[in-house]
Amino acid sequence: MVSPLTGFPPDKIKRLVIKIGSALLVAQDGTIRTEWLKGVIEDIAARHAAGQQIIVVSSGAIALGARRLGLPKGGRGSLDDAQAAAAVGQIALSHHWAGLLREKGLNAAQMLVTLDDLEHRRRYLNAAATLERLLSLGVVPVINENDSVATAEIRFGDNDRLAARIGQAARADAVALLSDVDGLYTANPHVDPGAELVREVKRIDAHIAAMADSGSGSGMGSGGMASKIEAARIATGAGAHLAILSGKPERPLSAWARGQGGTIFLARTGQRARKTWLAGRLVVKGRIIIDKGAEEALLKGNSLLPAGVTEVGGSFARGDVVDIIGPEGRAIARGLAEYDAGEAIRIAGMRKADIAELLGNPVRPALIHRDHMVML
Ligand code: GLU
């Protein structure tokens, strides 16, 4: 049977990231759902034998550790609890993955990463090089956030976005988010009987974002639909397809190959590596609001000049990532600022000659240069 996920046949994917949510891995009584996990690993082994490269992003450390330690609120009551739960849960989780993969003749590799590791370009490139080497050695990387050291400021917080960033770093062809929801619905299916599953998304626009806001996710796990859409934005911008699929079937990857439904976000092409890294950055230090004329100039491929800026917000230094907001209030681009926030406020709306008079020569003509900007 042909997969309804047109343009994204699962057996044609060379390099795939599979994210597995906590609710799938950890049962209500706090034990690992070993039989289900064995099914997933059967699928991974079959894919591996067929020449596909698989990276796993596995959640479940906090849920597992919390149950073992008897911590309230699933270990998410405080940062201390979450860190302790993750430290206890992660070792058990890795042990399970490594043991079950080994039974199928596969080596597992553990990588624990923080947001910081993927936000700084040098560390991002290091992580990318490690993944590349592991895959070339036929190893299955099993990745999670390094929750036991990640503080609130440096946490991803959900593995959906982590999986998308890993997909980007590994130059994966696709990212599959397996969770307890079947995909994106037009409205909340628990409330609205007319809600329909969206099969394919070519572009993530305000309409799609609104569907996620309508609470169409199950509300379980730390991610929810909003973080899945954010993950889709990162992955598709980096040239990878992203699928939201139900992980409830016994062998979810086989079910997918047989044509089980889900939502597929199709990859966008044409972004260079540095730009995709930029688009996937999660920490944005400021906002630059621009007028209609500047928006048109950006859409034509030009740099952002101070003349088109109407407002500057946030506190950023030269080289920090800032969002460019169009006159309708939507972030339309992102880039590295050529000026710090104080200077940007002073030169907003000004032409080059006036800037030279104010700040002295030489003047950097663009507030954000085209080469350091990506359209969203
Ligand atoms: N990193 C968390 C864990 O392993 C999961 C985050 C999420 O729920 O996406 O428990």
Short mmCIF file of all heavy atoms in Angstrom, two decimals, residues 14-67:
data_model
loop_
_atom_site.label_atom_id
_atom_site.label_comp_id
_atom_site.label_asym_id
_atom_site.label_seq_id
_atom_site.Cartn_x
_atom_site.Cartn_y
_atom_site.Cartn_z
N LYS A 14 16.90 8.14 3.89
CA LYS A 14 18.25 7.63 4.15
C LYS A 14 18.61 7.81 5.62
O LYS A 14 19.09 6.90 6.27
CB LYS A 14 19.23 8.41 3.24
CG LYS A 14 20.68 8.04 3.41
CD LYS A 14 21.08 6.94 2.44
CE LYS A 14 22.49 6.44 2.64
NZ LYS A 14 22.68 5.50 3.72
N ARG A 15 18.37 8.99 6.13
CA ARG A 15 18.77 9.28 7.51
C ARG A 15 17.56 9.82 8.28
O ARG A 15 17.02 10.86 7.90
CB ARG A 15 19.92 10.30 7.50
CG ARG A 15 20.55 10.50 8.82
CD ARG A 15 21.79 11.37 8.70
NE ARG A 15 22.95 10.65 8.16
CZ ARG A 15 24.17 11.16 8.09
NH1 ARG A 15 24.40 12.39 8.51
NH2 ARG A 15 25.18 10.46 7.60
N LEU A 16 17.16 9.09 9.29
CA LEU A 16 15.90 9.40 9.98
C LEU A 16 16.13 9.59 11.48
O LEU A 16 16.84 8.79 12.10
CB LEU A 16 14.94 8.22 9.76
CG LEU A 16 13.62 8.23 10.52
CD1 LEU A 16 12.71 9.36 10.04
CD2 LEU A 16 12.89 6.88 10.34
N VAL A 17 15.55 10.64 12.03
CA VAL A 17 15.55 10.84 13.49
C VAL A 17 14.17 10.41 13.99
O VAL A 17 13.15 10.85 13.46
CB VAL A 17 15.78 12.32 13.86
CG1 VAL A 17 15.69 12.53 15.37
CG2 VAL A 17 17.13 12.80 13.35
N ILE A 18 14.15 9.54 15.00
CA ILE A 18 12.88 9.12 15.60
C ILE A 18 12.84 9.63 17.02
O ILE A 18 13.72 9.29 17.82
CB ILE A 18 12.77 7.59 15.65
CG1 ILE A 18 12.97 6.99 14.26
CG2 ILE A 18 11.43 7.16 16.21
CD1 ILE A 18 13.19 5.49 14.32
N LYS A 19 11.84 10.42 17.33
CA LYS A 19 11.68 10.89 18.71
C LYS A 19 10.57 10.10 19.37
O LYS A 19 9.48 9.94 18.81
CB LYS A 19 11.36 12.39 18.72
CG LYS A 19 11.16 12.96 20.11
CD LYS A 19 9.70 13.15 20.43
CE LYS A 19 9.48 13.54 21.87
NZ LYS A 19 8.10 13.88 22.19
N ILE A 20 10.86 9.61 20.56
CA ILE A 20 9.87 8.80 21.28
C ILE A 20 9.49 9.48 22.58
O ILE A 20 10.36 9.76 23.42
CB ILE A 20 10.44 7.38 21.52
CG1 ILE A 20 10.74 6.76 20.14
CG2 ILE A 20 9.47 6.54 22.32
CD1 ILE A 20 11.30 5.39 20.18
N GLY A 21 8.22 9.75 22.74
CA GLY A 21 7.74 10.49 23.91
C GLY A 21 7.67 9.63 25.17
O GLY A 21 7.58 8.40 25.10
N SER A 22 7.70 10.31 26.32
CA SER A 22 7.71 9.63 27.62
C SER A 22 6.52 8.70 27.79
O SER A 22 6.66 7.58 28.31
CB SER A 22 7.66 10.65 28.76
OG SER A 22 8.69 11.58 28.66
N ALA A 23 5.32 9.14 27.38
CA ALA A 23 4.10 8.36 27.63
C ALA A 23 4.15 7.01 26.91
O ALA A 23 3.50 6.06 27.32
CB ALA A 23 2.88 9.16 27.19
N LEU A 24 4.93 6.94 25.82
CA LEU A 24 5.04 5.67 25.10
C LEU A 24 6.01 4.72 25.79
O LEU A 24 5.84 3.51 25.75
CB LEU A 24 5.53 5.93 23.67
CG LEU A 24 4.59 6.72 22.76
CD1 LEU A 24 5.30 7.06 21.46
CD2 LEU A 24 3.32 5.94 22.50
N LEU A 25 7.02 5.30 26.40
CA LEU A 25 8.11 4.48 26.95
C LEU A 25 7.88 4.02 28.38
O LEU A 25 8.37 2.98 28.79
CB LEU A 25 9.41 5.30 26.93
CG LEU A 25 10.24 5.17 25.66
CD1 LEU A 25 11.25 6.29 25.58
CD2 LEU A 25 10.94 3.83 25.62
N VAL A 26 7.19 4.88 29.14
CA VAL A 26 7.06 4.59 30.57
C VAL A 26 5.59 4.35 30.90
O VAL A 26 4.74 5.20 30.61
CB VAL A 26 7.62 5.77 31.41
CG1 VAL A 26 7.57 5.42 32.90
CG2 VAL A 26 9.05 6.09 31.00
N ALA A 27 5.30 3.18 31.50
CA ALA A 27 3.92 2.85 31.86
C ALA A 27 3.51 3.63 33.11
O ALA A 27 4.36 4.19 33.81
CB ALA A 27 3.81 1.35 32.11
N GLN A 28 2.21 3.64 33.36
CA GLN A 28 1.69 4.37 34.54
C GLN A 28 2.33 3.90 35.84
O GLN A 28 2.53 4.68 36.76
CB GLN A 28 0.16 4.21 34.63
CG GLN A 28 -0.63 5.02 33.60
CD GLN A 28 -0.40 6.52 33.72
OE1 GLN A 28 -0.14 7.04 34.80
NE2 GLN A 28 -0.47 7.23 32.60
N ASP A 29 2.68 2.62 35.91
CA ASP A 29 3.28 2.11 37.16
C ASP A 29 4.78 2.39 37.23
O ASP A 29 5.47 1.93 38.14
CB ASP A 29 3.02 0.61 37.30
CG ASP A 29 3.72 -0.21 36.22
OD1 ASP A 29 4.42 0.37 35.35
OD2 ASP A 29 3.57 -1.45 36.22
N GLY A 30 5.31 3.11 36.27
CA GLY A 30 6.71 3.53 36.33
C GLY A 30 7.69 2.55 35.72
O GLY A 30 8.90 2.78 35.77
N THR A 31 7.19 1.48 35.12
CA THR A 31 8.12 0.55 34.49
C THR A 31 8.28 0.92 33.01
O THR A 31 7.40 1.55 32.42
CB THR A 31 7.61 -0.90 34.58
OG1 THR A 31 6.28 -0.92 34.03
CG2 THR A 31 7.58 -1.38 36.02
N ILE A 32 9.39 0.49 32.43
CA ILE A 32 9.59 0.72 31.00
C ILE A 32 8.72 -0.26 30.22
O ILE A 32 8.63 -1.44 30.58
CB ILE A 32 11.07 0.56 30.62
CG1 ILE A 32 11.90 1.66 31.30
CG2 ILE A 32 11.26 0.61 29.10
CD1 ILE A 32 13.38 1.64 30.99
N ARG A 33 8.06 0.22 29.17
CA ARG A 33 7.20 -0.66 28.37
C ARG A 33 8.08 -1.48 27.42
O ARG A 33 8.17 -1.22 26.22
CB ARG A 33 6.18 0.18 27.62
CG ARG A 33 5.23 0.91 28.57
CD ARG A 33 4.22 1.74 27.80
NE ARG A 33 3.40 0.93 26.94
CZ ARG A 33 3.05 1.26 25.69
NH1 ARG A 33 3.44 2.40 25.17
NH2 ARG A 33 2.30 0.46 24.97
N THR A 34 8.72 -2.49 28.01
CA THR A 34 9.76 -3.23 27.30
C THR A 34 9.25 -3.93 26.04
O THR A 34 9.93 -3.91 25.01
CB THR A 34 10.42 -4.26 28.25
OG1 THR A 34 10.81 -3.56 29.43
CG2 THR A 34 11.63 -4.91 27.62
N GLU A 35 8.05 -4.52 26.13
CA GLU A 35 7.56 -5.26 24.95
C GLU A 35 7.36 -4.32 23.78
O GLU A 35 7.73 -4.62 22.64
CB GLU A 35 6.25 -6.01 25.28
CG GLU A 35 6.46 -7.25 26.11
CD GLU A 35 7.57 -8.15 25.55
OE1 GLU A 35 7.53 -8.46 24.35
OE2 GLU A 35 8.49 -8.53 26.31
N TRP A 36 6.79 -3.14 24.07
CA TRP A 36 6.57 -2.15 23.01
C TRP A 36 7.92 -1.69 22.44
O TRP A 36 8.11 -1.60 21.23
CB TRP A 36 5.77 -0.97 23.58
CG TRP A 36 5.54 0.12 22.58
CD1 TRP A 36 4.53 0.18 21.66
CD2 TRP A 36 6.35 1.28 22.37
NE1 TRP A 36 4.67 1.32 20.90
CE2 TRP A 36 5.78 2.01 21.31
CE3 TRP A 36 7.51 1.77 22.97
CZ2 TRP A 36 6.32 3.20 20.84
CZ3 TRP A 36 8.05 2.96 22.51
CH2 TRP A 36 7.45 3.66 21.45
N LEU A 37 8.86 -1.44 23.36
CA LEU A 37 10.18 -0.95 22.94
C LEU A 37 10.89 -2.01 22.07
O LEU A 37 11.56 -1.67 21.09
CB LEU A 37 11.02 -0.60 24.18
CG LEU A 37 12.39 0.03 23.92
CD1 LEU A 37 12.29 1.27 23.04
CD2 LEU A 37 13.05 0.40 25.25
N LYS A 38 10.68 -3.28 22.42
CA LYS A 38 11.27 -4.35 21.60
C LYS A 38 10.76 -4.27 20.17
O LYS A 38 11.50 -4.50 19.21
CB LYS A 38 10.93 -5.72 22.20
CG LYS A 38 11.86 -6.13 23.32
CD LYS A 38 11.55 -7.57 23.72
CE LYS A 38 12.45 -7.99 24.86
NZ LYS A 38 11.95 -9.20 25.52
N GLY A 39 9.45 -3.96 20.03
CA GLY A 39 8.86 -3.82 18.69
C GLY A 39 9.51 -2.68 17.92
O GLY A 39 9.82 -2.81 16.73
N VAL A 40 9.73 -1.56 18.61
CA VAL A 40 10.37 -0.41 17.96
C VAL A 40 11.77 -0.82 17.51
O VAL A 40 12.21 -0.49 16.39
CB VAL A 40 10.46 0.79 18.94
CG1 VAL A 40 11.28 1.92 18.34
CG2 VAL A 40 9.06 1.28 19.31
N ILE A 41 12.46 -1.56 18.36
CA ILE A 41 13.85 -1.93 18.05
C ILE A 41 13.89 -2.96 16.91
O ILE A 41 14.80 -2.92 16.07
CB ILE A 41 14.57 -2.36 19.34
CG1 ILE A 41 14.86 -1.07 20.13
CG2 ILE A 41 15.86 -3.14 19.03
CD1 ILE A 41 15.42 -1.24 21.50
N GLU A 42 12.87 -3.83 16.86
CA GLU A 42 12.76 -4.75 15.69
C GLU A 42 12.72 -3.92 14.41
O GLU A 42 13.38 -4.23 13.43
CB GLU A 42 11.45 -5.54 15.75
CG GLU A 42 11.33 -6.56 16.84
CD GLU A 42 11.80 -7.92 16.39
OE1 GLU A 42 11.92 -8.11 15.16
OE2 GLU A 42 12.10 -8.76 17.25
N ASP A 43 11.88 -2.89 14.44
CA ASP A 43 11.74 -2.02 13.26
C ASP A 43 13.06 -1.32 12.95
O ASP A 43 13.48 -1.23 11.80
CB ASP A 43 10.67 -0.95 13.52
CG ASP A 43 9.26 -1.46 13.28
OD1 ASP A 43 9.12 -2.54 12.69
OD2 ASP A 43 8.30 -0.76 13.67
N ILE A 44 13.71 -0.79 13.99
CA ILE A 44 14.98 -0.07 13.78
C ILE A 44 16.01 -1.02 13.17
O ILE A 44 16.71 -0.67 12.21
CB ILE A 44 15.50 0.52 15.11
CG1 ILE A 44 14.58 1.67 15.57
CG2 ILE A 44 16.94 1.01 14.97
CD1 ILE A 44 14.95 2.28 16.91
N ALA A 45 16.05 -2.25 13.70
CA ALA A 45 17.03 -3.21 13.19
C ALA A 45 16.76 -3.54 11.72
O ALA A 45 17.69 -3.63 10.91
CB ALA A 45 17.00 -4.48 14.04
N ALA A 46 15.45 -3.66 11.38
CA ALA A 46 15.11 -3.97 9.99
C ALA A 46 15.51 -2.82 9.07
O ALA A 46 16.07 -3.02 7.98
CB ALA A 46 13.60 -4.24 9.88
N ARG A 47 15.24 -1.62 9.52
CA ARG A 47 15.61 -0.44 8.72
C ARG A 47 17.13 -0.35 8.56
O ARG A 47 17.64 0.00 7.50
CB ARG A 47 15.14 0.82 9.43
CG ARG A 47 13.66 0.94 9.56
CD ARG A 47 13.20 1.75 8.40
NE ARG A 47 11.80 1.51 8.18
CZ ARG A 47 10.88 2.47 8.28
NH1 ARG A 47 11.24 3.68 8.61
NH2 ARG A 47 9.64 2.20 8.03
N HIS A 48 17.81 -0.60 9.66
CA HIS A 48 19.26 -0.52 9.66
C HIS A 48 19.83 -1.53 8.66
O HIS A 48 20.71 -1.19 7.86
CB HIS A 48 19.75 -0.83 11.09
CG HIS A 48 21.16 -0.43 11.33
ND1 HIS A 48 22.22 -1.28 11.10
CD2 HIS A 48 21.71 0.72 11.78
CE1 HIS A 48 23.34 -0.67 11.40
NE2 HIS A 48 23.06 0.56 11.81
N ALA A 49 19.27 -2.72 8.69
CA ALA A 49 19.74 -3.77 7.77
C ALA A 49 19.49 -3.36 6.32
O ALA A 49 20.23 -3.75 5.41
CB ALA A 49 19.03 -5.08 8.08
N ALA A 50 18.44 -2.55 6.10
CA ALA A 50 18.12 -2.11 4.73
C ALA A 50 18.94 -0.88 4.33
O ALA A 50 18.71 -0.29 3.28
CB ALA A 50 16.63 -1.80 4.63
N GLY A 51 19.86 -0.46 5.20
CA GLY A 51 20.76 0.64 4.83
C GLY A 51 20.35 2.01 5.34
O GLY A 51 20.99 3.00 5.00
N GLN A 52 19.31 2.08 6.13
CA GLN A 52 18.92 3.39 6.67
C GLN A 52 19.72 3.70 7.92
O GLN A 52 20.12 2.80 8.66
CB GLN A 52 17.43 3.41 7.01
CG GLN A 52 16.57 3.44 5.77
CD GLN A 52 15.09 3.53 6.12
OE1 GLN A 52 14.67 3.10 7.17
NE2 GLN A 52 14.32 4.06 5.20
N GLN A 53 19.94 4.98 8.13
CA GLN A 53 20.64 5.41 9.34
C GLN A 53 19.61 6.02 10.29
O GLN A 53 18.84 6.89 9.89
CB GLN A 53 21.70 6.45 8.99
CG GLN A 53 22.81 5.84 8.15
CD GLN A 53 23.82 6.87 7.70
OE1 GLN A 53 23.47 8.01 7.40
NE2 GLN A 53 25.08 6.48 7.65
N ILE A 54 19.60 5.53 11.51
CA ILE A 54 18.57 5.94 12.47
C ILE A 54 19.21 6.59 13.67
O ILE A 54 20.18 6.07 14.24
CB ILE A 54 17.76 4.72 12.96
CG1 ILE A 54 17.26 3.89 11.78
CG2 ILE A 54 16.67 5.15 13.93
CD1 ILE A 54 15.86 4.12 11.34
N ILE A 55 18.67 7.72 14.06
CA ILE A 55 19.06 8.38 15.31
C ILE A 55 17.81 8.39 16.18
O ILE A 55 16.73 8.76 15.71
CB ILE A 55 19.50 9.84 15.05
CG1 ILE A 55 20.74 9.87 14.15
CG2 ILE A 55 19.77 10.57 16.37
CD1 ILE A 55 21.12 11.27 13.68
N VAL A 56 17.96 7.99 17.44
CA VAL A 56 16.81 7.99 18.35
C VAL A 56 16.94 9.18 19.29
O VAL A 56 18.03 9.44 19.82
CB VAL A 56 16.78 6.68 19.17
CG1 VAL A 56 15.68 6.73 20.23
CG2 VAL A 56 16.60 5.48 18.26
N VAL A 57 15.86 9.91 19.49
CA VAL A 57 15.80 10.89 20.58
C VAL A 57 14.78 10.33 21.56
O VAL A 57 13.60 10.21 21.23
CB VAL A 57 15.38 12.29 20.08
CG1 VAL A 57 15.15 13.24 21.25
CG2 VAL A 57 16.46 12.86 19.16
N SER A 58 15.27 9.90 22.72
CA SER A 58 14.38 9.21 23.66
C SER A 58 14.10 10.06 24.88
O SER A 58 15.01 10.48 25.60
CB SER A 58 15.03 7.89 24.10
OG SER A 58 14.26 7.30 25.12
N SER A 59 12.82 10.30 25.13
CA SER A 59 12.39 10.93 26.37
C SER A 59 12.22 9.84 27.42
O SER A 59 12.53 8.68 27.15
CB SER A 59 11.03 11.62 26.19
OG SER A 59 11.12 12.59 25.19
N GLY A 60 11.73 10.21 28.57
CA GLY A 60 11.37 9.21 29.57
C GLY A 60 12.23 9.22 30.81
O GLY A 60 11.88 8.56 31.80
N ALA A 61 13.36 9.94 30.78
CA ALA A 61 14.26 9.89 31.94
C ALA A 61 13.58 10.46 33.19
O ALA A 61 13.63 9.85 34.27
CB ALA A 61 15.54 10.67 31.63
N ILE A 62 12.93 11.58 33.03
CA ILE A 62 12.32 12.23 34.20
C ILE A 62 11.16 11.37 34.72
O ILE A 62 11.07 11.09 35.92
CB ILE A 62 11.87 13.67 33.86
CG1 ILE A 62 13.09 14.52 33.51
CG2 ILE A 62 11.10 14.29 35.04
CD1 ILE A 62 12.78 15.94 33.06
N ALA A 63 10.32 10.92 33.80
CA ALA A 63 9.17 10.10 34.21
C ALA A 63 9.62 8.84 34.94
O ALA A 63 9.10 8.49 36.00
CB ALA A 63 8.34 9.73 32.98
N LEU A 64 10.64 8.20 34.40
CA LEU A 64 11.13 6.95 34.98
C LEU A 64 11.77 7.19 36.34
O LEU A 64 11.48 6.50 37.33
CB LEU A 64 12.15 6.38 34.00
CG LEU A 64 12.56 4.94 34.12
CD1 LEU A 64 11.36 4.04 33.98
CD2 LEU A 64 13.56 4.62 32.98
N GLY A 65 12.65 8.18 36.41
CA GLY A 65 13.35 8.48 37.66
C GLY A 65 12.39 8.92 38.75
O GLY A 65 12.54 8.55 39.93
N ALA A 66 11.39 9.69 38.36
CA ALA A 66 10.43 10.20 39.36
C ALA A 66 9.68 9.06 40.02
O ALA A 66 9.47 9.05 41.23
CB ALA A 66 9.44 11.15 38.69
N ARG A 67 9.29 8.08 39.20
CA ARG A 67 8.55 6.95 39.77
C ARG A 67 9.47 6.15 40.69
O ARG A 67 9.08 5.73 41.76
CB ARG A 67 8.00 6.06 38.66
CG ARG A 67 7.03 6.78 37.75
CD ARG A 67 5.57 6.47 38.10
NE ARG A 67 4.66 7.50 37.61
CZ ARG A 67 4.44 7.80 36.32
NH1 ARG A 67 5.08 7.17 35.37
NH2 ARG A 67 3.58 8.74 35.98
#
